[in-house]
Amino acid sequence: MTAPDDTPFDPKAHPHGHTHQHGGPVAPVSAHLRRVIAAVLIPFAAVMVAGLVLLWPGGAPEQHEHTGVGFDQQHERARVTEVTEVRCEDVGVQVQQGVEGPCEQATVEVTSGPHAGRTFTEMVPPDATQRYSEGQTVIVAYAPDAPQELQYSVTDVDRKVPMLLLATVFALAVVAVGRLRGLLALVGLTVSFAVLTLFILPAILHGSNPLVVAVIGGSVIMLVTLYLVHGVNARTSVAVLGTLISLVLIGVMGSLFIGWAHLTGNTDDQTGLVHSLYPNIEIRGLLLAGILIGSLGVLDDVTVTQTSAVWELKQAEPGASWPKLYRAGMRIGRDHIASVVNTLVLAYAGAALPLLLLFTIAQSSVGTVAFSELVAEEIVRTLIGSVGLVASVPVTTLLAALVVSADRHPVPVAAATSRHRRRRKR
């Protein structure tokens, strides 16, 4: 039994009618509202693409010839052929006081490059964190200006096989559970990695403003990945708008509090090294850019989830008003806030765990440690990202409730199905 075309759909009169909405041709929003959303997002996307073209770096800049940090050294593959224990005193290795045990002498054979087959020895003190075993593949650096016996040295182990295997397991798991949506998510991940390595990092090294580069690159990543994975529709557009508003809030708060707290961003060896190699890079902007990029991935998750929740609530109760949808969506969002904020804090704490251990054993007071620049930078990073995440829930929920309720005269399911069939016959 179907209702006439001019009869509004009544879920009470058709208690099973909701089952047809999940795959039917019902438009969730009016054509006028879709044009309004497009009028906002299309110019924004055009500006981001224009910025991408204007700031495109064309590759990473050439490295300085006198860096002195080994980045310009040639690297080859090698294999450990023998490991023997020796007395540290016999081979002239200085051991820290309180450290006991023999040293290890690893014989390494170069397996690639012009000197394949050459062997050299690598001394491993007893307090070394990296140990070698016979048959292990390692990475060695070649210094042509050094004496022949010192030209090669082990810099790292070869971990290509376990890393590629882990990546394969991850990809298979995503596709097995997510199917086509999971495959599209992997494509979006590839796009994100490409934008990061081909645009964001080289553009910053070329001297472009890190904040501008992060905004443009992050926006391109967001637009491509969200629309690719979730489709070009009003639901995805609402998630994009919610993410943009939250990113603006993070950027404004980041600029305010980083300046107010006098944070320089130059608090670790890596940042100091980058600044010494490329003095034109604005380190404080680099800190803010890192906050934006780090928050973007979690923001996408929050905004897409909240938008989908409101859409599903509307499908379950087509007659619900936007205030009712907003209140119901916020009940879901409050649980999301609690879990996401905890996730973000733990993620930053896990990344800074060695730093936290150092300050745990320090003799300074808790206040002195917390307000030092090294720790304050991580606190500001965490709190600004968390504020943006918290704000994204009500903002996105409100936008979704307004958009999904924008149709004053919703199309009945039966009428929409009938019109869809007539179009197909034509």
Side-chain angles (χ1 to χ4, degrees), residues 55-222:
L55 295 180
W56 188 261
E62 295 183 1
Q63 297 172 358
H64 299 277
E65 294 182 359
H66 53 283
T67 59
V69 295
F71 287 161
D72 53 352
Q73 287 184 330
Q74 178 182 345
H75 288 84
E76 303 291 349
R77 291 166 60 89
R79 182 172 56 89
V80 179
T81 58
E82 185 181 6
V83 178
T84 58
E85 291 186 356
V86 295
R87 293 182 57 186
C88 298
E89 296 83 359
D90 296 341
V91 292
V93 176
Q94 296 291 333
V95 181
Q96 293 183 2
Q97 187 176 2
V99 177
E100 298 180 354
C103 290
E104 291 183 349
Q105 180 175 283
T107 302
V108 183
E109 179 184 359
V110 180
T111 57
S112 66
H115 301 136
R118 178 189 293 186
T119 61
F120 65 95
T121 58
E122 184 84 7
M123 302 308 303
V124 183
D127 58 343
T129 56
Q130 184 64 263
R131 298 284 177 170
Y132 307 111
S133 58
E134 293 185 11
Q136 185 178 16
T137 304
V138 294
I139 305 299
V140 296
Y142 174 59
D145 297 333
Q148 183 173 354
E149 65 274 9
L150 300 177
Q151 286 183 335
Y152 283 96
S153 60
V154 178
T155 59
D156 205 350
V157 299
D158 185 3
R159 52 181 64 91
K160 182 184 299 183
V161 173
M163 296 294 291
L164 292 178
L165 179 60
L166 180 59
T168 303
V169 172
F170 165 74
L172 291 176
V174 170
V175 174
V177 177
R179 298 184 181 180
L180 178 60
R181 188 67 61 86
L183 181 61
L184 292 176
L186 292 177
V187 175
L189 181 62
T190 304
V191 172
S192 301
F193 183 76
V195 173
L196 182 64
T197 56
L198 299 179
F199 172 69
I200 295 179
L201 299 180
I204 292 176
L205 290 179
H206 274 280
S208 299
N209 186 288
L211 179 58
V212 175
V213 171
V215 169
I216 294 175
S219 299
V220 171
I221 289 174
M222 175 190 63

Side-chain angles (χ1 to χ4, degrees), residues 5-83:
D5 287 357
D6 57 351
T7 303
F9 175 65
D10 184 0
K12 296 181 180 179
H14 301 275
H16 300 290
H18 68 278
T19 58
H20 299 284
Q21 293 185 12
H22 295 286
V26 180
V29 296
S30 63
H32 172 71
L33 189 56
R34 290 198 296 272
R35 287 193 292 268
V36 172
I37 295 175
V40 175
L41 290 180
I42 290 178
F44 171 77
V47 171
M48 294 300 103
V49 172
L52 190 71
V53 173
L54 291 175
L55 295 180
W56 188 261
E62 295 183 1
Q63 297 172 358
H64 299 277
E65 294 182 359
H66 53 283
T67 59
V69 295
F71 287 161
D72 53 352
Q73 287 184 330
Q74 178 182 345
H75 288 84
E76 303 291 349
R77 291 166 60 89
R79 182 172 56 89
V80 179
T81 58
E82 185 181 6
V83 178

